[in-house]
Amino acid sequence: MKLDQAYWTERWLKGETGWDIGHPSPALIDFAVNHIPTDARILIPGAGNAYEAEELLHLGYSHVYVVDISEVPLRNLKKRFPDFPTNQLLHNDYFNLEGYQFDFILEQTFYCALNPSLRDNYVRKSYELLTSDGQMAGLLFDFPLTEAGPPFGGCYEEYLDRFSRYFEILTLEKTNKSIQPRMGKEFFFHVKKKKPTR
Ligand SMILES: C[S@@+](CC[C@H](N)C(=O)[O-])C[C@H]1O[C@@H](n2cnc3c(N)ncnc32)[C@H](O)[C@@H]1O
């Protein structure tokens, strides 16, 4: 099955959006408030309804960008929050995003939604989109890699191996900040871009 724009838009239009928690992710907001200055450029990839983006703007973060391959959730966000800057709503494939640099990328159920064959590209693309001091943080599922998905699973060793090729690992641990239905099933990670080796 091709997990392309048509696939995701159909899921959005049919309301098959079981991933949507309906409110800002407490773990991501808590991280932002404690680690991200309000003038930082923040990207939420595969953002869906992006409740976090809305909350971050309310908290004084003015450079929050969201990217989604489907226009439907971007329209939802604009409907809920008409003042959200239109130029910060990016209707694009994450892997085609060019011409932007961010200080932080916040991840939630995007990595696990991609075809697992794209995981190395995802880490490399995230590296490219970040400034030299850029950081990335968010939640990653802890269940064995599945044939069927999305979501596709992943484990500690995989995340450590994949992210440490491009990033210094600051945190990768089971979290108690998950929403209740995901409690015990997620890692929180926080990584910082490695300096290029000469
Ligand atoms: C499982 S949902 C997660 C949405 C959101 N992160 C959340 O936690 O509610 C995955 C989202 O990624 C989007 N998506 C899938 N592939 C994408 C790609 N290559 N580039 C950008 N967005 C993509 C889908 O349209 C969908 O909104």
Side-chain angles (χ1 to χ4, degrees):
M1 187 191 338
K2 236 175 133 194
L3 303 179
D4 56 7
Q5 179 174 349
Y7 169 86
W8 287 106
T9 295
E10 192 180 335
R11 289 203 55 164
W12 277 107
L13 292 175
K14 286 185 172 165
E16 293 173 359
T17 54
W19 60 77
D20 191 313
I21 64 176
H23 57 81
S25 164
L28 295 190
I29 299 301
D30 184 71
F31 176 84
V33 167
N34 287 298
H35 293 89
I36 307 185
T38 49
D39 61 353
R41 287 159 297 174
I42 303 171
L43 176 67
I44 306 181
N49 272 328
Y51 306 105
E52 296 76 22
E54 195 177 336
E55 177 72 1
L56 289 173
L57 256 83
H58 285 310
L59 290 170
Y61 292 85
S62 45
H63 307 290
V64 182
Y65 289 72
V66 304
V67 58
D68 205 287
I69 202 167
S70 171
E71 217 174 352
V72 179
L74 302 177
R75 283 203 301 262
N76 291 346
L77 174 56
K78 194 71 186 169
K79 225 177 279 165
R80 290 197 319 268
F81 189 1
D83 287 342
F84 196 95
T86 305
N87 68 330
Q88 291 168 214
L89 292 174
L90 310 178
H91 178 213
N92 207 339
D93 185 324
Y94 187 52
F95 300 97
N96 294 338
L97 208 54
E98 300 285 348
Y100 292 93
Q101 285 275 277
F102 300 97
D103 303 303
F104 284 85
I105 294 177
L106 293 178
E107 159 66 45
Q108 176 177 257
T109 66
F110 178 48
Y111 181 95
C112 69
L114 294 168
N115 187 312
S117 65
L118 293 173
R119 289 181 172 184
D120 285 338
N121 285 355
Y122 166 96
V123 176
R124 196 177 321 116
K125 185 69 190 174
S126 303
Y127 179 90
E128 280 171 22
L129 286 169
L130 286 166
T131 57
S132 56
D133 291 324
Q135 300 178 30
M136 192 171 183
L139 295 158
L140 293 166
F141 277 129
D142 181 20
F143 64 86
L145 182 60
T146 35
E147 288 275 324
F152 302 95
C155 66
Y156 181 89
E157 291 72 21
E158 178 210 324
Y159 302 139
L160 186 63
D161 174 48
R162 223 171 230 125
F163 281 94
S164 61
R165 293 180 212 162
Y166 290 88
F167 293 90
E168 186 189 330
I169 310 288
L170 304 176
T171 306
L172 174 57
E173 62 191 19
K174 280 301 214 24
T175 178
N176 60 9
K177 294 195 176 132
S178 299
I179 57 160
Q180 204 50 46
R182 296 180 191 165
M183 197 57 81
K185 297 176 200 149
E186 287 180 313
F187 294 106
F188 192 85
F189 78 106
H190 176 196
V191 299
K192 183 176 175 179
K193 194 162 157 167
K194 274 184 181 170
K195 300 288 174 220
T197 46
R198 291 169 187 243

